[in-house]
């Protein structure tokens, strides 16, 4: 086989990610982190009925407990991503992992609404920079033609954590009470942070045993200390429409993360074992959707589509499909149809997730931490308002028809905005002395 033929076949298949590459261990470590992070941020949904009962909370108060996490998560996204770039992913994720592990432990020790709010606030603060910092690690270790795939696979791991949390937490509630899941996962989080620090290096060339071939496959980004200044104006102008689309994605995602166990418990009268299993069945659709979405958009990219068009195609398919599948929920259908509709809607919704996280890597690889933090601010803001508004609507109307109808409207708006946005590459700022020559501002 000639070198040219081999190159063409690699282009069709994509650059290898895991096999015979040091980056394989990086991707696996990140998958584990995403799994743990989403398990420990979403186990509160399954524990929700038990927490509401023990602390005598209303649905709106429980929604506030979910929202306070998102408040700190949203406010510190951009700053957290920027700090992660400054100190590097190795030290950044060590510090963040230890902090979110401690906050998860503290959640298991809460004695009422106030201490629960404090624990969730600390968790939001510590996790705010986690995914932007992880995205910076991916930008350094992943070939550009596999951005969608890697974002898809790590977010599939996060959705697996989300999907398994209801079963695992329900089992632990029956065995030893709702607090145990927070304590065990907090310890696991801190253990992961220590392993990450030992095994990861900020730059591929610093990793023992890495080959010249693998170094040639990934971008040679400068050290954290040598990164050029962030071109804030152009970055904001490019990423803001993506942030708005991410808000719409986040609104609906938070409905799934926060309220499915309560829906199944209150409307369909399922006990903890049954609603834990059914919630997991709903959320497992997202595991498939995330991976398939990333693979599909990268496949289009390798076949000549621009990065912009390949990401947009999956965004449109995902938002339209998610909205259509939510329509039956407005009419409170039988339990089986509810579970099937929710699972399909979540599958389509998660087709969009890899695209939203790949776009910052596509357009601003040097500042992918800051750019992804800027993008993910939309998800964080959605997490502030979605649980509170949905909880208030449920208290007011006595059901979930209005929250699902509102979610469908938001998905329609996301479809329109995703269809017209035009994110493009963001190069470094042009020095003032060169601006007159190049005509750039």
């Amino acid at each position: 086989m000639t070198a040219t033929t081999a190159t063409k076949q690699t282009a069709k298949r994509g650059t290898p990610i895991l096999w015979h590459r040091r980056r394989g261990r990086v991707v696996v470590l990140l998958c584990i982190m995403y799994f743990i992070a989403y398990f420990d941020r979403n186990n509160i949904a399954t524990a929700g009925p038990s927490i509401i009962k023990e602390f005598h909370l209303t649905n709106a108060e429980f929604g506030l407990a979910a929202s306070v996490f998102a408040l700190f998560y949203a406010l510190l996204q951009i700053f957290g991503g920027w700090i992660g770039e400054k100190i590097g992913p190795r030290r950044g994720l060590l510090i963040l992992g230890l902090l979110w592990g401690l906050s998860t432990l503290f959640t298991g020790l809460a004695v009422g609404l106030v201490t629960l709010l404090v624990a969730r606030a600390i968790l939001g603060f510590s996790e705010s920079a986690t995914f932007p910092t992880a995205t910076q690690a991916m930008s350094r270790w992943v070939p550009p033609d596999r951005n969608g795939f890697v974002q898809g696979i790590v977010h599939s791991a996060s959705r697996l954590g989300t999907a398994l949390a209801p079963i695992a937490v329900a089992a632990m509630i029956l065995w030893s009470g709702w607090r145990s899941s927070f304590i065990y996962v907090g310890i696991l989080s801190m253990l992961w942070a220590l392993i990450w620090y030992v095994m990861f290096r900020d730059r591929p060339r610093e990793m023992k045993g890495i080959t010249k071939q693998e170094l040639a496959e990934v971008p040679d980004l400068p050290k954290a200390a040598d990164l050029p200044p962030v071109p804030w104006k152009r970055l904001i102008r490019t990423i803001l429409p993506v942030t708005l689309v991410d808000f719409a994605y986040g609104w609906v995602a938070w409905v799934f993360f926060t309220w499915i166990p309560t829906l199944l418990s209150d409307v369909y009268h399922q006990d903890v074992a049954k609603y834990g299993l059914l919630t997991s069945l709903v959320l497992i659709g997202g595991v498939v959707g995330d991976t398939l979405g990333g693979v599909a958009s990268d496949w289009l990219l390798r076949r000549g589509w621009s990065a912009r068009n390949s990401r947009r195609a999956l965004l449109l398919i995902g938002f339209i499909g998610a909205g259509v599948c939510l329509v039956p929920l407005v009419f409170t259908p039988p339990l089986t149809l509810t579970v099937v509709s929710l699972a399909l809607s979540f599958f389509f919704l998660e087709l969009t997730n890899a695209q939203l996280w790949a776009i910052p890597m596509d357009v601003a690889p040097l500042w992918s931490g800051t750019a992804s933090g800027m993008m993910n601010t939309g998800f964080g803001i959605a997490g502030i308002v979605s649980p509170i508004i949905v909880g208030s609507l449920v208290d007011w109307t006595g059901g979930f028809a209005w929250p699902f109808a509102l979610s469908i409207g938001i998905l329609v708006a996301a479809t329109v905005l995703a269809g017209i946005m035009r994110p493009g590459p963001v190069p470094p700022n042009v020095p003032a002395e060169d601006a007159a020559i190049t005509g750039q501002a």
Side-chain angles (χ1 to χ4, degrees):
M1 181 184 295
T2 66
T4 302
T5 303
T7 301
K8 287 181 179 179
Q9 289 187 358
T10 299
K12 288 183 179 180
R13 291 194 306 265
T15 312
I17 289 294
L18 300 176
W19 307 121
H20 310 298
R21 300 293 192 276
R22 291 292 180 182
R23 60 175 165 267
R25 71 168 66 170
V26 175
V27 174
V28 170
L29 282 171
L30 289 174
C31 284
I32 295 171
M33 183 206 79
Y34 276 62
F35 176 91
I36 296 171
Y38 262 82
F39 190 107
D40 76 3
R41 78 166 65 168
N42 287 294
N43 56 9
I44 193 171
T46 306
S50 299
I51 294 173
I52 289 171
K53 182 178 180 180
E54 181 172 334
F55 295 161
H56 307 291
L57 305 179
T58 66
N59 284 318
E61 287 173 331
F62 179 69
L64 179 62
S67 293
V68 75
F69 163 87
L71 174 64
F72 286 85
Y73 186 80
L75 290 177
L76 297 170
Q77 278 287 318
I78 300 173
F79 177 74
W82 179 75
I83 287 293
E85 287 173 356
K86 291 297 181 184
I87 66 176
R90 187 179 182 224
R91 284 188 296 164
L93 289 179
L94 169 69
I95 296 168
L96 293 167
L98 293 175
L99 278 176
W100 96 62
L102 288 170
S103 65
T104 303
L105 274 171
F106 188 42
T107 303
L109 301 175
V111 295
L113 179 60
V114 173
T115 49
L116 183 64
L117 292 176
V118 171
R120 298 299 290 179
I122 297 172
L123 183 65
F125 167 79
S126 58
E127 286 202 7
S128 63
T130 298
F131 288 2
T133 303
T135 298
Q136 176 66 201
M138 289 180 234
S139 288
R140 294 177 174 278
W141 277 89
V142 174
D145 69 318
R146 304 312 296 270
N147 286 348
F149 171 77
V150 170
Q151 286 290 0
I153 196 172
V154 296
H155 280 93
S156 287
S158 75
R159 297 305 176 256
L160 185 61
T162 306
L164 292 183
I167 297 176
V169 174
M172 283 185 273
I173 289 172
L174 293 173
W175 176 53
S176 57
W178 64 267
R179 299 176 184 274
S180 59
S181 66
F182 294 97
I183 294 171
Y184 297 149
V185 177
I187 295 171
L188 183 61
S189 299
M190 291 185 281
L191 179 62
W192 177 89
L194 296 173
I195 294 172
W196 168 263
Y197 186 77
V198 171
M199 297 185 66
F200 180 76
R201 294 296 180 270
D202 283 337
R203 303 186 76 198
R205 64 178 64 256
E206 297 169 358
M207 180 76 77
K208 269 187 188 178
I210 195 165
T211 64
K212 291 182 179 179
Q213 179 184 3
E214 184 169 0
L215 287 175
E217 292 169 348
V218 297
D220 187 19
L221 299 183
K223 292 186 295 185
D226 297 331
L227 284 172
V230 177
W232 289 103
K233 287 184 179 179
R234 275 178 288 125
L235 196 61
I236 291 171
R237 193 162 55 240
T238 299
I239 297 296
L240 182 58
V242 190
T243 303
L244 296 176
V245 174
D246 189 56
F247 171 87
Y249 160 80
W251 175 283
V252 182
W254 282 105
V255 173
F256 280 91
F257 297 154
T258 308
W259 293 108
I260 300 305
T262 304
L263 166 71
L264 296 172
S265 174
D266 292 356
V267 177
Y268 293 97
H269 311 295
Q270 303 296 297
D271 61 28
V272 63
K274 290 181 180 177
Y275 77 63
L277 176 60
L278 291 174
T279 301
S280 292
L281 292 175
V282 167
L283 297 178
I284 204 72
V287 179
V288 181
D290 265 299
T291 299
L292 183 60
V295 169
S297 66
D298 280 357
W299 182 84
L300 293 174
L301 183 65
R302 292 194 301 274
R303 275 149 184 79
W305 289 47
S306 67
R308 177 193 296 170
N309 289 336
S310 63
R311 310 304 182 205
R312 180 191 294 131
L314 272 296
L315 287 172
L316 295 177
I317 293 169
F319 286 135
I320 293 170
V324 169
C325 292
L326 281 183
V327 170
L329 277 299
V330 177
F331 305 99
T332 316
L335 177 61
T336 300
L337 181 55
T338 293
V339 172
V340 172
S341 297
L342 286 170
L344 288 173
S345 180
F346 196 55
F347 163 77
F348 279 109
L349 183 71
E350 289 303 301
L351 289 178
T352 70
N353 195 28
Q355 322 314 319
L356 292 167
W357 280 96
I359 288 171
M361 296 174 70
D362 293 337
V363 303
L366 288 173
W367 311 282
S368 57
T370 301
S372 60
M374 197 177 293
M375 178 277 299
N376 202 39
T377 299
F379 180 84
I381 294 173
I384 298 170
V385 297
S386 177
I388 293 177
I389 293 176
V390 171
S392 298
L393 283 173
V394 171
D395 285 337
W396 179 48
T397 65
F400 284 82
W402 278 101
F404 284 122
L406 179 58
S407 297
I408 292 169
I410 289 172
L411 287 170
V412 171
T415 302
V416 174
L417 184 54
I420 63 176
M421 69 180 186
R422 300 285 189 273
V426 181
N429 278 327
V430 179
E433 61 271 18
D434 296 332
I437 300 174
T438 62
Q440 298 186 47

